[in-house]
Amino acid sequence: MIEVRYSTSPGEVETATNADLRKNFLVEQLFRAGEVRGVYTHDDRLVVGGAVPGDGQLELPAWDVLGAPSHLARRELGIVNVGQSGHVLVDNEKFELRHLDGLFVGRGSEVVFAGPDAAFYFVSAPAHATYPTTLLSRAAVEPLKLGSPQGANERSLYRYAWGQELQTAVLQFGVTVIADGSVWNTCPPHLHDRRTEVYLYVDLDEKDRVLHFMGRPGAARHLAIRDREAVISPPWSIHSGVGTGSYAFIWAMGGENNDYTDLTPVALEDL
């Protein structure tokens, strides 16, 4: 199944009820055993989804909303395994993914998910060119260390696809792991005027939540997020969060370009 989300204006968010915010921006229940589920957002035409193969195999669907014979006929794909070890078949070539390992898949490929204990998160974006499929093992990626214990925002940023080293058309994605004892991510926040970003929060305990802040600077709102739930962040929205316990999140972007540093910082006094 796939759900379609339409674009919203910043003004709508300022006066929206909490139920409206959750309906428009929160992505829930992506991970169901034996299913592939997705959300298509008109913000930069991104698709976010989850595939939980169980004892079988699951193909990446060519949902009708895409208007194409296969999902990747005109798209490229980023995958991160948020479960235990599994594998992905790309045009019958097997790629093993452990927990939080990534995989970039170029335009035109056919994709199959497998692994009884795996849970695959994926994001696809329209692509104008085809680039090679590349395995992105977290163990092989040197993380960028950010924040500090004093600021409660110490974290490790694993950049899988970020406009350098690995070539993509528009897609960027990676994983950020919050250090034990820290709670904040991406603070102070920033804006991406030319890209939509999606956060998927993972590795939270059942009792824990992340309070995710969104909206225009000076008119921010928040959502309470559970494990394996995502938030769609339009280009006009900040994106920052604070957790009640340890967690990680998968960030993915698509839009006008794949320049990782194309952003506008937002000072805390402007919030």
Side-chain angles (χ1 to χ4, degrees):
M1 65 168 279
I2 189 165
E3 179 187 353
V4 176
R5 302 282 181 92
Y6 295 96
S7 299
T8 55
S9 73
E12 291 178 77
V13 169
E14 292 182 25
T15 59
T17 65
N18 191 59
D20 288 337
L21 290 177
R22 295 179 71 84
K23 178 181 178 182
N24 290 324
F25 300 102
L26 181 64
V27 179
E28 303 174 276
Q29 300 180 355
L30 278 181
F31 301 94
R32 291 286 185 91
E35 296 183 26
V36 181
R37 293 183 161 222
V39 170
Y40 177 100
T41 173
H42 282 267
D43 289 307
D44 284 309
R45 308 285 177 175
L46 296 181
V47 172
V48 300
V52 185
D55 293 329
Q57 294 186 338
L58 294 172
E59 296 181 359
L60 181 66
W63 285 300
D64 289 344
V65 68
L66 301 179
S70 68
H71 191 113
L72 298 184
R74 299 191 295 264
R75 290 176 164 263
E76 58 188 7
L77 183 74
I79 302 170
V80 176
N81 183 7
V82 300
Q84 301 307 308
S85 294
H87 66 267
V88 178
L89 297 173
V90 180
D91 297 330
N92 292 319
E93 183 178 358
K94 187 176 182 180
F95 295 89
E96 296 282 352
L97 274 72
R98 297 183 298 273
H99 184 63
L100 296 186
D101 282 351
L103 181 69
F104 170 77
V105 183
R107 185 181 65 171
S109 297
E110 297 292 336
V111 174
V112 177
F113 303 99
D117 300 312
F120 298 100
Y121 173 67
F122 61 85
V123 179
S124 72
H128 63 276
T130 303
Y131 296 104
T133 295
T134 304
L135 180 65
L136 301 158
S137 168
R138 183 164 67 118
V141 174
E142 182 69 26
L144 178 64
K145 300 294 185 178
L146 298 171
S148 67
Q150 294 81 6
N153 63 350
E154 186 180 11
R155 58 201 189 275
S156 297
L157 173 65
Y158 295 86
R159 295 175 293 189
Y160 289 168
W162 59 294
Q164 298 185 32
E165 300 170 8
L166 174 67
Q167 198 168 12
T168 67
V170 299
L171 188 64
Q172 299 177 55
F173 70 101
V175 176
T176 299
V177 179
I178 310 301
D180 289 342
S182 285
V183 293
W184 284 98
N185 67 67
T186 322
C187 192
H190 54 257
L191 300 170
H192 299 290
D193 287 337
R194 284 160 289 280
R195 296 194 303 275
T196 296
E197 185 162 15
V198 181
Y199 277 12
L200 177 80
Y201 289 100
V202 296
D203 294 349
L204 281 79
D205 285 341
E206 179 64 30
K207 68 179 188 306
D208 286 321
R209 299 291 185 270
V210 171
L211 298 181
H212 179 95
F213 297 95
M214 61 165 296
R216 285 191 295 191
R221 305 292 301 276
H222 77 274
L223 292 166
I225 312 294
R226 295 182 176 91
D227 184 45
R228 295 188 181 181
E229 293 184 341
V231 182
I232 299 167
S233 180
W236 45 262
S237 176
I238 64 169
H239 33 281
S240 182
V242 58
T244 62
S246 63
Y247 66 100
F249 67 95
I250 299 161
W251 46 271
M253 292 180 276
E256 184 69 19
N257 60 48
N258 60 3
D259 178 2
Y260 185 78
T261 61
D262 181 16
L263 54 83
T264 304
V266 177
L268 290 177
E269 56 266 28
D270 293 332
L271 294 179

